[in-house]
Amino acid sequence: MTETDLATRIRSFIIENFLFGDDDGLKDDASFLDEGIVDSTGILELVAFIEEEIKITVEDDELIPENLDSVTNVVNYLERKI
Amino acid sequence: MNSIIICKTCILPATFPGISFDDNGICNYCRREERSVEKIAEKKAAFRDRLDELIAGIKGQNLSYDAIVAYSGGKDSSYTLKLLKEHYDLRLLSLTFDNHFVSPTAWKNIETVTNTLGMDHIRFRPPWPMVKALFRQTALEETFPAPTLLRASSICTACIGMVKSLVLKTALEMSIPLVAFGWSPGQAPIQSAILKNNPAMVKKNQWALFKGFPAEIQRRIHPYLIPEAYYEIYKDRFPYNIHPLALFDYHEETITRELKEMGWEAPGDTDTNSTNCLLNAFANQRHMDRHGFHPYVMEIANMVRQGVMDRREGMEKIYTEQNPNMVKYAEKRLGL
């Protein structure tokens, strides 16, 4: 899966599940927490998506903003793991 | 109200953001969830195993308590206490954030339940001027980002933010390894039922939640949040958050019956979506006036879809008019 494919899938998941279909110009580097897009339970929904759909296991100590708090951060994190 | 188009499967209205309906009158959210609804039983079992394993590893390790429970006195948090005590036999500390709008019946329930289950309880009551300022701010201005308000009303978001912070702070100070919440299966999905708190994530989340408040309110909220030093001092004792109701059978009628056997009573002075808070009707009304949909509608729609609540009951909870006396009561107390 290319970086672009990953970014598209993550974006689609966020827009569909947390922005109710309205991307409203979601930037790839926008912080999910700062923008109120996801809260702490929402992060786990994102983790479940990553584990189920992208088949990557996210460990407890990897639940940090640097890995999960924006489309770019998630893509970079996944690229390191794949 | 009759003229609003409502999904024929769940209860989402045409005014809900991003909604569309197919030829059968079923909304896109129901269609989207079809696959995950089929997998609920399997997912629930897997997460229940994880919870059992987590509790087995934690139970009895701490000298004082195994878990702290955010306890509103309402039905769901009362049942969470009962479950954790009777099913897992945990040593529990319950903490109630007194927002000055807790129903007198809920206080009676708190006393009854904690006494019956034999557990310690903390009532945390910030001064009224501070609480009033917080609620007035959220009632008068939209302080939170728009996506946050798709999940809950502005007033509830502020209040719950305080609750989350206080229970976590207490857990850190007392080295309690588990923090439990009574979220219903519609409020938070199965996959978020177990969360290992991470200091950096908590810090960012907390700042993100309250950053939109004016400086004066931020100053007043500050003492109730996690102090900066804790992220370093207690970095190794950040607890797990759990919300067990997502992983057990959830039927309101059964839950209410079991609680009543303990002496718990349903308050007669709260709205259809709360069994403890006298501010909720006003919070709901304000949200509906601003956004055109009920702040609980997504939660209740999820529960209808999952089959844990029938549609008729869901409709009643969402489309019953807010009691104008309760709305006025809150407005008067907040000086609005």
Side-chain angles (χ1 to χ4, degrees):
Chain A
M1 202 181 298
T2 67
E3 187 182 320
T4 314
D5 291 339
L6 274 176
T8 304
R9 291 186 72 182
I10 299 299
R11 274 181 71 84
S12 303
F13 174 77
I14 294 294
I15 291 166
E16 200 179 320
N17 288 275
F18 298 105
L19 296 172
F20 299 96
D22 178 12
D23 80 347
D24 199 24
L26 171 69
K27 291 183 181 151
D28 282 352
D29 60 354
S31 160
F32 298 149
L33 293 167
D34 283 355
E35 303 292 326
I37 297 166
V38 299
D39 55 13
S40 51
T41 55
I43 289 286
L44 288 186
E45 290 181 61
L46 173 61
V47 167
F49 171 77
I50 291 168
E51 294 193 332
E52 284 166 25
E53 301 295 326
I54 305 178
K55 310 291 178 202
I56 296 284
T57 303
V58 181
E59 305 297 338
D60 280 346
D61 61 4
E62 294 174 328
L63 289 170
I64 54 174
E66 288 74 10
N67 292 339
L68 298 165
D69 191 31
S70 68
V71 174
T72 304
N73 286 9
V74 176
V75 170
N76 290 342
Y77 163 69
L78 291 177
E79 288 211 306
R80 290 196 299 272
K81 294 271 288 190
I82 289 172
Chain B
M1 209 41 103
N2 289 337
S3 59
I4 294 177
I5 298 168
I6 294 169
C7 174
K8 289 196 161 61
T9 300
C10 72
I11 55 161
L12 288 181
T15 51
F16 193 77
I19 200 163
S20 59
F21 298 94
D22 66 15
D23 293 342
N24 299 314
I26 297 171
C27 77
N28 50 327
Y29 293 100
C30 282
R31 292 295 184 212
R32 189 187 76 189
E33 294 299 318
E34 276 169 1
R35 226 181 77 193
S36 55
V37 167
E38 282 168 17
K39 287 183 175 174
I40 281 179
E42 185 192 334
K43 206 179 260 183
K44 209 182 241 192
F47 274 82
R48 236 325 254 288
D49 288 346
R50 277 181 61 183
L51 180 65
D52 290 350
E53 200 181 319
L54 174 68
I55 288 180
I58 278 170
K59 194 173 164 182
Q61 298 298 309
N62 182 22
L63 288 175
S64 55
Y65 303 101
D66 298 312
I68 180 167
V69 182
Y71 187 31
S72 72
K75 166 181 57 62
D76 290 338
S77 57
S78 294
Y79 196 69
T80 300
L81 280 177
K82 183 176 187 294
L83 193 68
L84 293 176
K85 183 70 186 175
E86 293 181 352
H87 187 82
Y88 290 108
D89 191 25
L90 295 183
R91 295 165 305 154
L92 302 170
L93 172 65
S94 54
L95 185 149
T96 302
F97 173 62
D98 182 353
N99 68 359
H100 296 255
F101 282 94
V102 177
S103 154
T105 312
W107 282 124
K108 203 171 144 230
N109 286 333
I110 287 168
E111 195 178 337
T112 304
V113 170
T114 52
N115 281 340
T116 307
L117 296 174
M119 65 183 58
D120 297 337
H121 175 254
I122 296 172
R123 174 178 178 169
F124 191 96
R125 189 169 188 266
W128 170 239
M130 178 268 166
V131 174
K132 186 178 175 185
L134 178 69
F135 289 150
R136 271 181 64 89
Q137 173 65 31
T138 45
L140 290 169
E141 279 175 52
E142 213 50 288
T143 313
F144 300 109
T148 302
L149 300 167
L150 295 169
R151 302 188 284 270
S153 72
S154 197
I155 290 175
C156 270
T157 301
C159 193
I160 294 294
M162 297 287 287
V163 172
K164 283 180 174 174
S165 175
L166 283 167
V167 287
L168 178 55
K169 196 173 170 188
T170 311
L172 290 171
E173 287 164 355
M174 299 179 82
S175 194
I176 302 173
L178 276 183
V179 175
F181 296 92
W183 308 138
S184 77
Q187 275 177 311
I190 295 168
Q191 55 266 31
S192 62
I194 304 168
L195 163 70
K196 177 77 171 95
N197 278 299
N198 171 276
M201 195 68 98
V202 170
K203 188 175 177 178
K204 186 148 198 185
N205 202 23
Q206 191 170 253
W207 180 81
L209 191 62
F210 292 107
K211 73 180 160 92
F213 282 90
E216 171 55 18
I217 305 268
Q218 279 190 16
R219 188 188 63 74
R220 294 168 90 163
I221 293 171
H222 197 253
Y224 305 99
L225 305 183
I226 309 291
E228 185 67 25
Y230 283 22
Y231 295 109
E232 184 55 33
I233 298 168
Y234 296 135
K235 65 181 177 202
D236 296 324
R237 59 161 87 155
F238 269 67
Y240 278 87
N241 280 3
I242 57 169
H243 49 94
L245 296 188
L247 310 180
F248 284 79
D249 287 339
Y250 183 96
H251 295 289
E252 280 208 359
E253 218 172 283
T254 315
I255 288 174
T256 307
R257 194 191 63 239
E258 285 187 32
L259 290 176
K260 280 183 175 168
E261 285 167 9
M262 287 171 61
W264 184 93
E265 289 171 30
D269 51 1
T270 55
D271 68 295
T272 52
N273 291 284
S274 170
T275 41
N276 73 302
C277 183
L278 302 179
L279 181 59
N280 209 41
F282 170 71
N284 293 342
Q285 189 60 56
R286 199 39 74 114
H287 187 95
M288 287 189 285
D289 292 345
R290 275 181 189 158
H291 303 287
F293 62 94
H294 195 295
Y296 282 79
V297 74
M298 196 52 161
E299 172 190 348
I300 301 297
N302 285 337
M303 287 168 73
V304 171
R305 244 177 250 129
Q306 290 170 25
V308 299
M309 181 180 288
D310 72 44
R311 190 171 178 278
R312 183 197 47 78
E313 196 183 341
M315 290 287 289
E316 220 174 273
K317 278 184 182 286
I318 296 303
Y319 297 104
T320 300
E321 204 181 324
Q322 302 301 313
N323 182 333
N325 292 331
M326 289 172 62
V327 174
K328 276 187 200 141
Y329 163 78
E331 280 175 341
K332 193 176 169 196
R333 286 196 61 199
L334 294 176
L336 297 169

